[in-house]
Amino acid sequence: MPQPIHTVASIRAIEALTLPGAVPPLMERAGAAAAAVALSLLPPSDAPVLVACGPGNNGGDGFVVARHLRSAGHRVSVAFAADPTRLPADAAVARAAWLAAGGSTDASLPPPPPQGWALVVDALFGIGLQRPIEGLYADWIENLSASSGLRLALDIPSGLDADTGHRPGACFRADHTVTFIALKPGLLTLDGPDHCGTLHLATLDLDTEALVAAPGHTVATELFSTRLHPRQRNSHKGSYGDAALIGGAPGMVGAALLAGRAAAYLGAGRVLVGLLDPAALAVDVERPELMFRDAATLLGETGLGALGVGPGLGQSDAARTLVATALAASPPLLLDADALNLVAQDSQLQAALAGRTQAAVLTPHPAEAARLLGSDTGAIQADRIAAACALARRYRAWVVLKGCGSVIAGPDGRWWINTSGNPAMATAGMGDVLTGIICALLARGWPPGEALLAGVHLHGVAADTLCAEQGLDTGLLAGEVAEAARRSLNHWLRACAPARQA
């Protein structure tokens, strides 16, 4: 199921509603939940554990974890350099309970035992941190991140921005992160996944959706499950639409082929590829099912189910004319790659995009998003959700801002973070395959929002499946993902069939 994603502001709103009178207190619940994860990672007893506690409530969570681990028979050391008289009330109670249980604290990081720490726990700073970590705590984070044992972060790795995934300074690198109440955006996008390791969600027995509406969600098949139904027996290729892919300037024909093949694998009734290169091939010998046209001729055809413009398009005057023609056309439209760059350069194209009756689908990477917003890549990456929402709002479009934790935003302000996919996808042609996948779904009659959510998620799932099956960290080719996406889509169809029949 899609999981709710809460920003720092909405987490604070939940806490304001639940902290007063909570029994057990939320800090006790959080510490116990994190301790349970820690115990699942540790041997049964007598393992050396270091818990580094900070000056706020995250440090209080750490004291609770330390107390539980000590009670379970582990040798627990606690580093705590803050002024205990300035701890928040709940954290002060947690520290006192740790001391009353026989624990003690060190004002500096103790040296590791001869065999090293079995586990180090980062309880320094939580989601409220608004500045780079410097000085003593930066040194602690560097030391803890270099531990040879397992590394566990409480709520969020110290130094990571909970709303954006940005790390402005020192940042703890965890093997596991136990996050409390709900997922936060920064755990799922930009630098978050590299610093969080495996995520464990502890809701603390709170029904967050009943308390505060989540501003965002993760992507899951339930968001588009009503579209996952088998083909009727009485159907033909015309029942599944014509997907038209426009691109393939000289030297970049391969991009259009990758998109076209992906559209064919995803079940478009017919796939037509319109190439700018007048000397390009007239048949794809590997996939002769594809039909080829001159790009301008293809755009003039009637009855197209969907248009995907951009793979290998280039930025020539001819390419600009094609984009203008596509923007004025009625079929569902996806713009990618140089089609986006051309729009970014031309106010008339921007107005035409924003003025379309039916929302288009835009699939920019951060640099393309920056051009579309008149910004720079650094600013886009500093707040990926805000950037995706700004694009969707400005161009009245459905947008995916690609990257680690791709952000999907709708023109109505809703947003999602996709958690499928992996670093092996960082190779040429992956965006072209995504264009073909989404274009096929659009051609088959899917609404643009559901086509985008499904296409992005499916793209990542297919790559994850291939990498798991073949043990790949690198060397994944874009062309391989299209066929794997067909397999994953059909798996979804089979999985949904029993529910429909029931």
Side-chain angles (χ1 to χ4, degrees):
M1 294 291 291
Q3 291 183 286
I5 304 174
H6 281 273
T7 61
V8 173
S10 58
I11 290 288
R12 295 302 188 221
I14 292 169
E15 290 174 336
L17 293 170
T18 56
L19 277 171
V23 179
L26 293 190
M27 186 170 289
E28 282 293 322
R29 299 185 200 182
V37 172
L39 289 171
S40 74
L41 301 172
L42 289 166
S45 64
D46 198 35
V49 177
L50 172 62
V51 182
C53 294
N57 284 325
N58 198 248
D61 297 334
F63 283 118
V64 178
V65 170
R67 192 179 79 238
H68 281 281
L69 296 185
R70 188 176 190 275
S71 177
H74 295 289
R75 290 174 283 140
V76 183
S77 299
V78 173
F80 176 67
D83 180 354
T85 66
R86 301 183 66 180
L87 280 172
D90 286 349
V93 170
R95 174 179 173 273
W98 162 247
L99 297 175
S104 61
T105 64
D106 293 302
S108 58
L109 290 182
Q115 72 273 36
W117 302 110
L119 177 73
V120 296
V121 179
D122 163 31
L124 292 173
F125 297 98
I127 63 174
L129 186 70
Q130 299 293 316
R131 56 179 174 76
I133 298 174
E134 300 173 339
L136 172 69
Y137 288 122
D139 293 338
W140 280 23
I141 286 173
E142 182 179 0
N143 187 301
L144 294 169
S145 296
S147 172
S148 59
L150 288 171
R151 301 181 297 273
L152 175 67
L154 303 189
D155 209 13
I156 195 164
S158 292
L160 187 70
D161 188 299
D163 280 342
T164 67
H166 180 57
R167 50 178 183 87
C171 188
F172 181 68
R173 188 175 288 267
D175 299 305
H176 296 264
T177 296
V178 186
T179 197
F180 307 130
I181 300 178
L183 296 174
K184 292 85 180 173
L187 299 170
L188 306 175
T189 194
L190 197 62
D191 294 316
D194 282 327
H195 284 77
C196 293
T198 301
L199 270 176
H200 308 263
L201 173 61
T203 63
L204 311 187
D205 298 323
L206 301 179
D207 184 356
T208 58
E209 290 291 77
L211 294 165
V212 174
H217 289 83
T218 59
V219 181
T221 55
E222 286 76 11
L223 293 172
F224 43 84
S225 60
T226 58
R227 305 291 166 187
L228 297 173
H229 49 79
R231 295 186 172 195
Q232 295 186 14
R233 291 173 181 265
N234 184 23
S235 63
H236 51 83
K237 64 178 180 286
S239 306
Y240 305 103
D242 290 348
L245 284 307
I246 306 295
M252 296 184 287
V253 171
L257 292 182
L258 285 169
R261 292 174 182 178
Y265 276 121
L266 266 292
R270 295 194 307 168
V271 179
L272 303 100
V273 181
L275 299 175
L276 275 78
D277 186 351
L281 71 174
V283 64
D284 178 358
V285 293
E286 285 194 25
R287 288 270 65 91
E289 298 89 350
L290 304 185
M291 292 173 280
F292 290 85
R293 304 282 194 276
D294 169 77
T297 301
L298 179 54
L299 276 177
E301 293 192 14
T302 59
L304 297 176
L307 283 170
V309 184
L313 184 70
Q315 298 185 41
S316 65
D317 290 342
R320 192 262 178 211
T321 299
L322 291 171
V323 171
T325 303
L327 288 169
S330 58
L333 175 66
L334 182 152
L335 299 181
D336 182 38
D338 276 330
L340 298 172
N341 292 325
L342 287 164
V343 169
Q345 299 166 15
D346 192 316
S347 59
Q348 290 183 329
L349 296 181
Q350 293 170 26
L353 174 57
R356 279 177 57 87
T357 302
Q358 184 181 48
V361 174
L362 312 181
T363 60
H365 58 54
E368 291 161 349
R371 296 177 193 122
L372 286 165
L373 288 174
S375 182
D376 61 76
T377 304
I380 298 298
Q381 294 289 71
D383 195 337
R384 289 169 50 78
I385 294 171
C389 290
L391 280 170
R393 185 170 56 250
R394 176 177 294 189
Y395 295 106
R396 296 181 60 252
W398 284 91
V399 174
V400 56
L401 177 57
K402 296 183 286 195
C404 181
S406 292
V407 179
I408 297 166
D412 56 2
R414 291 180 296 162
W415 56 266
W416 299 260
I417 298 178
N418 182 57
T419 57
S420 67
N422 62 76
M425 300 175 75
T427 188
M430 284 293 173
D432 304 315
V433 170
L434 177 62
T435 290
I437 290 172
I438 299 170
C439 196
L441 298 178
L442 290 171
R444 293 175 60 174
W446 288 41
E450 290 172 286
L452 180 58
L453 288 162
V456 171
H457 191 57
L458 177 62
H459 191 230
V461 166
D464 288 342
T465 301
L466 278 176
C467 289
E469 290 174 347
Q470 301 180 26
L472 298 179
D473 178 73
T474 189
L476 179 67
L477 299 180
E480 297 176 290
V481 174
E483 190 169 358
R486 175 181 66 179
R487 183 154 48 104
S488 294
L489 177 61
N490 281 282
H491 173 76
W492 290 352
L493 291 168
R494 290 192 299 273
C496 288
R500 285 191 302 271
Q501 292 167 0

